[in-house]
Amino acid sequence: MEYRPGISIQGRPFFYGALQWSEDDQIALCLRNAVHIIAPAFVDLRSEEESHVHIGLKELRKGNPNAPSESTVEDKPVQPSVLIDESYRCARWSPTGLSNLNGCILAVVTTQHQVTLYSSPGPGEYFTTCLDMTPLVKEHVLGTKDEFTTTEELDRFQTLHCAWSRRIVPDALAEKPALIALSNKAGEITLWSYHHIPGSQFCTSFVPHQSFVNLLEWSQWRTNGTTYTAYLFSACVDGTVAVSSVEVDIAGDNDGGTAIQSVIVSVCKTWFTSDPANVSILSTWDDLKSGGRAIKVALCKNARVEIASLILDEDNDITEHWSQYYLEYSTMGLSGAKWSPDGSQLQLYTYDCQAIVLDIDNHAKSAVNEEKTAQTNQRILNKVNQQWVLEQAKMDRETVATSHPVVPKILSVDYSITGLYSVILFTIRPELDSNYYGTNNMDVCFTAFVLHGERQDDKIVKRICDTMEAYQKDPDFLLTLPIQALLHESFQYVVDEDADTAMLQLLETLDRLMSQDKSSSGTLARKVYCDERATAARIVLRAQIDLKEYELPEESMHKLVVLSRKAKSFLQQQFAANTLKHISDLPDERLKKFNDDVMVTLLLCDRILASAEPIDFALEQVRMLSQRLCSLSEAFQGELDKAVILLNNEELQEPLPGREKCPSCEQLLTIDSGQLAVCPSFHIWGCCSLTNRAFASDRLRVCMLCGEKSLAPGSHPPDSLTEFILLECDKCILCGSTVYVP
């Protein structure tokens, strides 16, 4: 995607940090007049398809007629927000898993201090309002009162910035809430919890500053039993910067929910009390999630970059080291700063289109990495030149001949999760001359992608393969990490129209991981979704889905098709085998009440027996369960015989019989290789991807990513095997994505 020209968008950002890359691999661009959402897509250079999906927000909250009135405050000071038209101030993504579709939520703050949460109601749809937090903020400030009466109340109500914490993960299968911090003009920060179902609830508030709080940044969570601790960094317009510890105690319930019992905040440190220079950029890195104790901070004050290394001791006291780096070629300060994933490097981007890469040690000492600085600057310059050539091609000959020299300006920058790519927002402005009349809020700016590294680099390819293996060994990878962004960016790098070495190396790594002889334990859901081999298989299927519009080299394409077929067969058999193992572990009293569950069990056995390449461990489950259930139905004796034949590497001589009756004519249905059930009267039915039962109802669940369909829970007896399977497996068993009822 780095070869594509920039995306042309009309408008200018109001505030710093206009770009943010989400864990769902979507980019939010907050401009004065609109909030744009851009999702990179896999399209090769020869395709005429767009290389991105560009959507936005629906039902915009600007000019909200229900906004609280501020006219009741006497002697209200005149502030800039009163004199300008309402515009968008900032937009910040939540971690993934919080929306109704288990995706990210976008929090948007306007210059009239409206706070609104947006999410997508369906795959590929425009974002709509899921919660207006403005009345909640007003209720927190005023209590039972209806109107503002003092400027203090007004300052506490007027939200300036917001930031989401990472998710709190008590258990991979439990609900994972997060906190959102809102800052205001009184120097106060309020913390609100956000759960998937109840929405947002007030937790606590504290006052680390004396004036407008413009910037917020969270660290990751440290875990100590049921207590989670994170650090919230805040910057004020008076130049001060503070770090506060946020300690959260949680408790679980029998329904898989997570309750936040208490939130305790204490201000740990305050810096720059005698330095009134405004902080324009605030960026942090930490290793708290992995058990470390280091936090690194970078902030910009005019042309000076302050860099800190903070070390937490056993009592959570902070040891700090500071250093400064002065920008040599820019007086406008930074437009972006990002830490590398390992915290060893800091990438700085100036407003004057210059990049500086600093190597940072554990004591905050910095040194310019000349090689990477030169490479990054060259890539940015190439991108800007490419865009300027395209813009000139749109002009007529006279305009080109009389146009003035131009200079690029970077307005905002953000990095992808893996650090392989960055997205930059830049504009191309004419140099100052007699005809120059300033900028306009509706001027055109460009959003473009930059790759940090060379294509087919052996070190980067090996790092990606090693990372995939680390993902595969993490049993909770599918349920706790931002899988969409992590995999999408890795695939974006390894695919190449002209060379397939990197792609083949990645596929061979996944094939090896998928062939390992390991299994998971625990509940049925944990066996299905936390199995190491299944994780590797799901990565393969996601690669096939992501690359469906990409024309790979022939060898890579063949390898991917073969491996995807193997992965799908494995996942279907792995799910059926684990379900049969669950049935085999049931007590005899439960098996005596099997009744209609016999049919579902036979359908799951048939799924394994009908596979083109049955897996031995799945056939063994069929054999053992059939031996135990022969007394319930004679059909299990036939399943036992077929399993023994296949275990002896022989072929079945007879087709599998029908199990379920046709909803129309009540003749037995047979299931073909395309997962369709057909009766002798040629009634054709789709089949549930979980139970293999025919779709006799239009109430189905659909996978957001691959489109697989399954029955929705609630239409079967509560104690039936079908209902148990549908409730236990609430994600797609193939790609692992969220399923929803259209």
Side-chain angles (χ1 to χ4, degrees):
M1 59 185 176
E2 72 275 12
Y3 297 124
R4 295 279 180 165
I7 304 166
S8 175
I9 298 177
Q10 197 173 47
R12 287 296 180 93
F14 178 86
F15 199 62
Y16 313 113
L19 287 171
Q20 191 185 25
W21 210 320
S22 80
E23 293 184 354
D24 286 341
D25 206 39
Q26 295 175 318
I27 298 162
L29 171 56
C30 183
L31 303 179
R32 290 174 180 265
N33 57 318
V35 176
H36 301 266
I37 299 171
I38 301 167
F42 276 101
V43 179
D44 60 47
L45 292 174
R46 293 164 289 195
S47 174
E48 296 181 358
E49 297 290 331
E50 289 286 350
S51 61
H52 64 277
V53 178
H54 185 184
I55 57 178
L57 303 183
K58 200 173 182 180
E59 300 177 4
L60 304 182
R61 303 299 295 182
K62 287 176 60 178
N64 180 10
N66 298 319
S69 174
E70 302 177 3
S71 60
T72 54
V73 179
E74 297 181 0
D75 300 326
K76 182 176 64 174
V78 177
Q79 296 177 345
S81 61
V82 180
L83 304 177
I84 61 176
D85 293 334
E86 185 175 14
S87 56
Y88 294 103
R89 182 181 178 87
C90 74
R92 290 293 177 267
W93 288 110
S94 77
T96 189
L98 292 186
S99 74
N100 291 333
L101 296 179
N102 285 322
C104 293
I105 291 175
L106 186 64
V108 178
V109 179
T110 72
T111 56
Q112 296 298 321
H113 317 295
Q114 306 296 298
V115 185
T116 313
L117 307 186
Y118 296 89
S119 65
S120 175
E125 296 186 21
Y126 269 58
F127 279 50
T128 57
T129 302
C130 63
L131 177 65
D132 184 1
M133 290 191 65
T134 311
L136 300 179
V137 177
K138 178 186 176 183
E139 182 181 356
H140 161 67
V141 174
L142 296 183
T144 58
K145 293 170 55 178
D146 294 329
E147 297 179 342
F148 298 101
T149 55
T150 65
T151 56
E152 180 186 359
E153 292 175 344
L154 202 58
D155 286 345
R156 293 180 61 205
F157 165 75
Q158 293 179 335
T159 302
L160 297 176
H161 201 70
C162 64
W164 291 88
S165 74
R166 274 72 165 185
R167 286 188 299 174
I168 299 172
V169 185
D171 182 81
L173 297 173
E175 185 184 17
K176 308 168 189 67
L179 300 182
I180 180 172
L182 304 180
S183 65
N184 57 45
K185 292 183 176 180
E188 178 188 38
I189 298 174
T190 58
L191 299 182
W192 307 74
S193 66
Y194 192 91
H195 294 71
H196 179 67
I197 296 175
S200 184
Q201 296 177 328
F202 174 75
C203 294
T204 189
S205 64
F206 61 105
V207 185
H209 301 282
Q210 302 300 316
S211 187
F212 297 16
V213 181
N214 270 344
L215 294 172
L216 298 169
E217 281 286 329
W218 285 87
S219 75
Q220 300 185 86
W221 293 101
R222 291 178 63 187
T223 307
N224 183 14
T226 60
T227 302
Y228 292 75
T229 304
Y231 292 86
L232 179 60
F233 292 83
S234 54
C236 181
V237 294
D238 62 9
T240 58
V241 176
V243 57
S244 307
S245 67
V246 181
E247 188 175 286
V248 178
D249 280 326
I250 63 167
D253 56 37
N254 296 330
D255 297 328
T258 302
I260 294 179
Q261 293 185 316
S262 67
V263 179
I264 301 174
V265 181
S266 60
V267 180
C268 303
K269 294 275 188 179
T270 302
W271 300 288
F272 308 110
T273 54
S274 301
D275 182 357
N278 184 44
V279 178
S280 58
I281 295 294
L282 177 63
S283 179
T284 64
W285 172 90
D286 66 86
D287 59 0
L288 302 185
K289 182 181 178 181
S290 58
R293 295 180 174 276
I295 303 176
K296 293 184 179 181
V297 184
L299 55 96
C300 180
K301 284 174 163 280
N302 298 329
R304 182 178 85 251
V305 181
E306 296 281 352
I307 303 169
S309 177
L310 311 179
I311 306 298
L312 307 174
D313 62 17
E314 295 292 338
D315 298 324
N316 291 331
D317 292 330
I318 298 176
T319 302
E320 56 186 277
H321 303 277
W322 287 87
S323 67
Q324 293 81 34
Y325 177 81
Y326 290 89
L327 303 175
E328 298 180 24
Y329 305 106
S330 177
T331 59
M332 295 294 293
L334 297 180
S335 54
K338 280 293 176 181
W339 292 93
S340 61
D342 61 358
S344 63
Q345 289 184 337
L346 176 64
Q347 292 94 11
L348 306 175
Y349 296 84
T350 70
Y351 178 75
D352 297 305
C353 205
Q354 180 198 19
I356 305 106
V357 181
L358 301 178
D359 293 325
I360 310 293
D361 66 11
N362 293 332
H363 291 84
K365 293 181 179 179
S366 64
V368 177
N369 189 316
E370 300 290 353
E371 181 181 359
K372 290 196 174 182
T373 296
Q375 291 174 351
T376 305
N377 278 306
Q378 186 61 52
R379 293 186 181 108
I380 294 175
L381 181 61
N382 291 342
K383 181 60 65 177
V384 172
N385 287 338
Q386 177 193 30
Q387 194 64 48
W388 179 234
V389 169
L390 293 174
E391 293 303 306
Q392 285 182 310
K394 301 175 185 178
M395 304 176 186
D396 56 43
R397 187 173 301 177
E398 181 180 353
T399 303
V400 173
T402 58
S403 62
H404 298 279
V406 296
V407 291
K409 300 293 181 182
I410 293 181
L411 304 177
S412 186
V413 181
D414 198 19
Y415 266 68
S416 62
I417 289 180
T418 62
L420 285 172
Y421 292 91
S422 63
V423 56
I424 60 173
L425 177 69
F426 67 95
T427 186
I428 301 175
R429 292 173 49 182
E431 290 186 342
L432 187 63
D433 60 23
S434 58
N435 297 319
Y436 180 69
Y437 50 86
T439 61
N440 188 288
N441 290 338
M442 298 305 291
D443 285 350
V444 174
C445 55
F446 306 96
T447 303
F449 299 95
V450 176
L451 172 64
H452 297 276
E454 299 297 329
R455 288 278 176 181
Q456 304 295 317
D457 185 292
D458 292 339
K459 292 183 180 179
I460 297 180
V461 174
K462 184 180 184 304
R463 189 181 78 196
I464 291 175
C465 292
D466 292 343
T467 303
M468 289 293 177
E469 188 163 357
Y471 293 160
Q472 184 253 359
K473 291 181 179 179
D474 182 356
D476 298 334
F477 168 65
L478 181 73
L479 303 173
T480 60
L481 295 179
I483 180 173
Q484 175 73 10
L486 291 171
L487 297 183
H488 193 97
E489 292 158 25
S490 299
F491 297 150
Q492 282 276 12
Y493 176 81
V494 298
V495 296
D496 198 314
E497 296 95 335
D498 303 319
D500 58 359
T501 304
M503 189 65 186
L504 287 173
Q505 187 174 339
L506 177 60
L507 292 177
E508 288 167 2
T509 300
L510 293 172
D511 191 9
R512 173 176 57 82
L513 297 176
M514 197 167 59
S515 303
Q516 292 177 349
D517 186 17
K518 294 182 180 180
S519 59
S520 57
S521 59
T523 63
L524 176 59
R526 187 165 286 279
K527 291 177 181 177
V528 171
Y529 298 118
C530 300
D531 184 84
E532 290 186 13
R533 299 164 300 172
T535 298
R538 290 188 175 101
I539 293 175
V540 171
L541 290 184
R542 282 176 172 262
Q544 184 192 39
I545 295 169
D546 279 343
L547 299 174
K548 63 183 178 181
E549 301 294 338
Y550 201 95
E551 190 174 341
L552 290 170
E554 184 176 353
E555 187 177 357
S556 294
M557 179 61 73
H558 176 72
K559 178 73 173 177
L560 180 59
V561 170
V562 172
L563 200 56
S564 299
R565 191 182 301 120
K566 175 183 176 181
K568 185 174 182 180
S569 175
F570 171 82
L571 289 168
Q572 290 174 332
Q573 294 185 67
Q574 185 253 7
F575 165 76
N578 281 316
T579 307
L580 296 180
K581 180 66 168 64
H582 169 80
I583 297 171
S584 179
D585 293 339
L586 292 175
D588 293 337
E589 292 75 14
R590 175 65 179 87
L591 293 178
K592 291 177 182 178
K593 303 176 182 179
F594 229 39
N595 301 327
D596 292 342
D597 295 338
V598 170
M599 178 191 67
V600 178
T601 306
L602 290 171
L603 286 171
L604 292 172
C605 291
D606 288 348
R607 175 184 291 186
I608 297 171
L609 298 174
S611 298
E613 297 180 1
I615 303 172
D616 285 349
F617 81 85
L619 290 173
E620 192 63 32
Q621 285 297 332
V622 175
R623 185 188 66 79
M624 291 190 298
L625 182 62
S626 298
Q627 281 182 331
R628 187 181 180 194
L629 299 183
C630 281
S631 60
L632 290 179
S633 172
E634 296 179 358
F636 284 109
Q637 183 61 50
E639 302 292 85
L640 174 60
D641 296 338
K642 294 181 180 67
V644 172
I645 291 173
L646 292 174
L647 283 170
N648 292 330
N649 295 322
E650 301 175 11
E651 295 185 0
L652 298 179
Q653 301 300 319
E654 299 179 359
L656 296 173
R659 305 298 186 190
E660 187 177 13
K661 292 183 179 181
C662 174
S664 294
C665 63
E666 296 198 351
Q667 299 182 78
L668 289 178
L669 295 166
T670 57
I671 300 176
D672 65 8
S673 58
Q675 290 296 297
L676 294 175
V678 185
C679 74
S681 299
F682 295 103
H683 296 127
I684 302 176
W685 305 87
C687 291
C688 173
S689 63
L690 296 175
T691 63
N692 267 31
R693 297 188 67 169
F695 291 139
S697 168
D698 59 356
R699 190 170 181 273
L700 308 176
R701 295 188 300 190
V702 182
C703 173
M704 286 182 56
L705 188 60
C706 69
E708 282 289 314
K709 297 179 180 179
S710 63
L711 295 167
S715 302
H716 305 86
D719 59 346
S720 67
L721 178 61
T722 299
E723 189 71 8
F724 169 79
I725 292 173
L726 298 179
L727 289 173
E728 189 79 359
C729 301
D730 58 353
K731 291 182 178 292
C732 177
I733 62 169
L734 294 183
C735 67
S737 295
T738 300
V739 294
Y740 70 103
V741 179

Short mmCIF file of all heavy atoms in Angstrom, two decimals, residues 1 4 40-52 488 492 495 497 546-547 549-551:
data_model
loop_
_atom_site.label_atom_id
_atom_site.label_comp_id
_atom_site.label_asym_id
_atom_site.label_seq_id
_atom_site.Cartn_x
_atom_site.Cartn_y
_atom_site.Cartn_z
N MET A 1 0.82 -1.21 0.00
CA MET A 1 0.00 0.00 0.00
C MET A 1 0.86 1.26 0.00
O MET A 1 0.37 2.36 -0.24
CB MET A 1 -0.95 -0.01 1.20
CG MET A 1 -0.29 -0.07 2.56
SD MET A 1 -1.52 -0.22 3.88
CE MET A 1 -0.47 -0.39 5.31
N ARG A 4 0.92 3.26 -3.40
CA ARG A 4 -0.27 3.98 -3.85
C ARG A 4 -0.16 5.48 -3.57
O ARG A 4 0.48 5.88 -2.59
CB ARG A 4 -1.51 3.42 -3.15
CG ARG A 4 -1.82 1.98 -3.51
CD ARG A 4 -2.54 1.92 -4.83
NE ARG A 4 -2.87 0.56 -5.20
CZ ARG A 4 -3.74 0.25 -6.15
NH1 ARG A 4 -4.34 1.21 -6.83
NH2 ARG A 4 -3.98 -1.00 -6.44
N PRO A 40 -7.27 0.28 5.17
CA PRO A 40 -6.46 -0.22 4.05
C PRO A 40 -6.99 -1.56 3.55
O PRO A 40 -7.47 -2.38 4.34
CB PRO A 40 -5.06 -0.37 4.67
CG PRO A 40 -5.08 0.46 5.90
CD PRO A 40 -6.48 0.45 6.39
N ALA A 41 -6.90 -1.79 2.25
CA ALA A 41 -7.38 -3.03 1.64
C ALA A 41 -6.26 -3.68 0.85
O ALA A 41 -5.33 -3.02 0.40
CB ALA A 41 -8.59 -2.76 0.73
N PHE A 42 -6.36 -5.01 0.68
CA PHE A 42 -5.37 -5.75 -0.11
C PHE A 42 -5.75 -5.69 -1.58
O PHE A 42 -6.67 -6.37 -2.04
CB PHE A 42 -5.33 -7.21 0.33
CG PHE A 42 -4.45 -7.45 1.52
CD1 PHE A 42 -4.99 -7.60 2.77
CD2 PHE A 42 -3.08 -7.53 1.37
CE1 PHE A 42 -4.19 -7.82 3.87
CE2 PHE A 42 -2.26 -7.75 2.47
CZ PHE A 42 -2.81 -7.90 3.71
N VAL A 43 -5.06 -4.85 -2.33
CA VAL A 43 -5.29 -4.74 -3.78
C VAL A 43 -3.92 -4.57 -4.43
O VAL A 43 -3.13 -3.70 -4.01
CB VAL A 43 -6.20 -3.54 -4.12
CG1 VAL A 43 -6.40 -3.46 -5.63
CG2 VAL A 43 -7.54 -3.67 -3.43
N ASP A 44 -3.61 -5.38 -5.46
CA ASP A 44 -2.31 -5.22 -6.10
C ASP A 44 -2.33 -4.03 -7.05
O ASP A 44 -3.38 -3.49 -7.39
CB ASP A 44 -1.87 -6.51 -6.81
CG ASP A 44 -2.84 -6.93 -7.90
OD1 ASP A 44 -3.24 -6.08 -8.70
OD2 ASP A 44 -3.18 -8.13 -7.95
N LEU A 45 -1.16 -3.63 -7.49
CA LEU A 45 -1.02 -2.41 -8.29
C LEU A 45 -1.70 -2.52 -9.64
O LEU A 45 -2.03 -1.51 -10.26
CB LEU A 45 0.47 -2.09 -8.47
CG LEU A 45 1.21 -1.66 -7.21
CD1 LEU A 45 2.70 -1.52 -7.49
CD2 LEU A 45 0.65 -0.35 -6.67
N ARG A 46 -1.91 -3.74 -10.14
CA ARG A 46 -2.53 -3.91 -11.45
C ARG A 46 -4.04 -3.83 -11.39
O ARG A 46 -4.70 -3.79 -12.42
CB ARG A 46 -2.10 -5.26 -12.04
CG ARG A 46 -0.62 -5.32 -12.39
CD ARG A 46 -0.15 -6.74 -12.58
NE ARG A 46 -0.09 -7.45 -11.32
CZ ARG A 46 0.54 -8.61 -11.14
NH1 ARG A 46 1.19 -9.16 -12.14
NH2 ARG A 46 0.55 -9.20 -9.97
N SER A 47 -4.59 -3.83 -10.19
CA SER A 47 -6.04 -3.81 -10.05
C SER A 47 -6.57 -2.38 -10.13
O SER A 47 -5.90 -1.42 -9.76
CB SER A 47 -6.44 -4.43 -8.71
OG SER A 47 -7.82 -4.29 -8.48
N GLU A 48 -7.80 -2.25 -10.62
CA GLU A 48 -8.46 -0.95 -10.68
C GLU A 48 -9.26 -0.66 -9.41
O GLU A 48 -9.85 0.40 -9.29
CB GLU A 48 -9.37 -0.89 -11.90
CG GLU A 48 -8.62 -0.98 -13.23
CD GLU A 48 -9.55 -0.88 -14.42
OE1 GLU A 48 -10.78 -0.79 -14.20
OE2 GLU A 48 -9.07 -0.89 -15.56
N GLU A 49 -9.29 -1.62 -8.50
CA GLU A 49 -10.02 -1.43 -7.25
C GLU A 49 -9.28 -0.44 -6.35
O GLU A 49 -8.06 -0.30 -6.42
CB GLU A 49 -10.18 -2.76 -6.52
CG GLU A 49 -10.99 -3.80 -7.27
CD GLU A 49 -12.46 -3.44 -7.35
OE1 GLU A 49 -12.94 -2.75 -6.42
OE2 GLU A 49 -13.11 -3.81 -8.34
N GLU A 50 -10.04 0.25 -5.50
CA GLU A 50 -9.44 1.17 -4.55
C GLU A 50 -8.62 0.39 -3.52
O GLU A 50 -9.00 -0.71 -3.10
CB GLU A 50 -10.52 1.99 -3.84
CG GLU A 50 -11.21 3.01 -4.72
CD GLU A 50 -10.31 4.21 -5.00
OE1 GLU A 50 -9.25 4.32 -4.35
OE2 GLU A 50 -10.66 5.02 -5.87
N SER A 51 -7.50 0.97 -3.10
CA SER A 51 -6.64 0.31 -2.12
C SER A 51 -7.07 0.58 -0.69
O SER A 51 -6.35 0.24 0.25
CB SER A 51 -5.19 0.77 -2.30
OG SER A 51 -5.10 2.18 -2.10
N HIS A 52 -8.23 1.19 -0.52
CA HIS A 52 -8.72 1.49 0.82
C HIS A 52 -10.24 1.59 0.78
O HIS A 52 -10.83 1.81 -0.27
CB HIS A 52 -8.13 2.81 1.35
CG HIS A 52 -8.56 4.00 0.53
ND1 HIS A 52 -7.92 4.35 -0.64
CD2 HIS A 52 -9.56 4.91 0.71
CE1 HIS A 52 -8.51 5.43 -1.14
NE2 HIS A 52 -9.49 5.79 -0.34
N HIS A 488 -3.14 -8.41 9.52
CA HIS A 488 -3.30 -7.65 8.29
C HIS A 488 -2.00 -6.95 7.90
O HIS A 488 -1.60 -6.97 6.73
CB HIS A 488 -4.43 -6.63 8.47
CG HIS A 488 -4.90 -6.01 7.19
ND1 HIS A 488 -6.00 -6.47 6.51
CD2 HIS A 488 -4.41 -5.00 6.45
CE1 HIS A 488 -6.17 -5.74 5.42
NE2 HIS A 488 -5.22 -4.83 5.37
N GLN A 492 0.35 -7.58 4.66
CA GLN A 492 0.63 -6.47 3.76
C GLN A 492 2.11 -6.42 3.40
O GLN A 492 2.47 -6.05 2.27
CB GLN A 492 0.24 -5.13 4.42
CG GLN A 492 -1.25 -4.82 4.41
CD GLN A 492 -1.70 -4.19 3.11
OE1 GLN A 492 -0.98 -4.18 2.12
NE2 GLN A 492 -2.92 -3.68 3.09
N VAL A 495 3.35 -9.99 1.07
CA VAL A 495 2.86 -10.20 -0.30
C VAL A 495 3.60 -9.27 -1.26
O VAL A 495 3.94 -8.14 -0.93
CB VAL A 495 1.34 -9.95 -0.39
CG1 VAL A 495 0.58 -10.96 0.44
CG2 VAL A 495 0.97 -8.54 0.04
N GLU A 497 3.89 -8.71 -5.78
CA GLU A 497 3.49 -9.18 -7.11
C GLU A 497 4.63 -9.88 -7.85
O GLU A 497 4.40 -10.77 -8.66
CB GLU A 497 2.98 -8.02 -7.98
CG GLU A 497 1.71 -7.36 -7.47
CD GLU A 497 2.03 -6.13 -6.63
OE1 GLU A 497 3.14 -6.09 -6.06
OE2 GLU A 497 1.18 -5.24 -6.53
N ASP A 546 -8.04 -12.22 3.42
CA ASP A 546 -7.45 -10.91 3.18
C ASP A 546 -6.92 -10.77 1.75
O ASP A 546 -6.95 -9.68 1.17
CB ASP A 546 -6.31 -10.65 4.17
CG ASP A 546 -6.81 -10.19 5.53
OD1 ASP A 546 -7.98 -9.77 5.61
OD2 ASP A 546 -6.05 -10.26 6.50
N LEU A 547 -6.43 -11.87 1.19
CA LEU A 547 -5.75 -11.82 -0.11
C LEU A 547 -6.65 -12.26 -1.26
O LEU A 547 -6.16 -12.54 -2.35
CB LEU A 547 -4.50 -12.71 -0.07
CG LEU A 547 -3.44 -12.32 0.94
CD1 LEU A 547 -2.32 -13.35 0.99
CD2 LEU A 547 -2.87 -10.95 0.62
N GLU A 549 -8.56 -10.60 -3.16
CA GLU A 549 -8.53 -9.67 -4.29
C GLU A 549 -7.10 -9.40 -4.77
O GLU A 549 -6.89 -8.54 -5.62
CB GLU A 549 -9.18 -8.34 -3.89
CG GLU A 549 -10.63 -8.45 -3.44
CD GLU A 549 -11.56 -8.89 -4.56
OE1 GLU A 549 -11.19 -8.71 -5.73
OE2 GLU A 549 -12.65 -9.42 -4.25
N TYR A 550 -6.15 -10.15 -4.22
CA TYR A 550 -4.74 -9.90 -4.54
C TYR A 550 -4.23 -11.01 -5.46
O TYR A 550 -4.43 -12.19 -5.19
CB TYR A 550 -3.91 -9.86 -3.26
CG TYR A 550 -2.59 -9.15 -3.40
CD1 TYR A 550 -2.47 -7.81 -3.07
CD2 TYR A 550 -1.47 -9.80 -3.88
CE1 TYR A 550 -1.26 -7.14 -3.19
CE2 TYR A 550 -0.26 -9.16 -4.00
CZ TYR A 550 -0.16 -7.83 -3.66
OH TYR A 550 1.04 -7.17 -3.78
N GLU A 551 -3.55 -10.63 -6.52
CA GLU A 551 -3.04 -11.59 -7.48
C GLU A 551 -1.61 -11.99 -7.10
O GLU A 551 -0.63 -11.36 -7.47
CB GLU A 551 -3.06 -10.99 -8.89
CG GLU A 551 -2.76 -12.01 -9.99
CD GLU A 551 -2.93 -11.44 -11.37
OE1 GLU A 551 -3.62 -10.39 -11.50
OE2 GLU A 551 -2.39 -12.02 -12.32
#
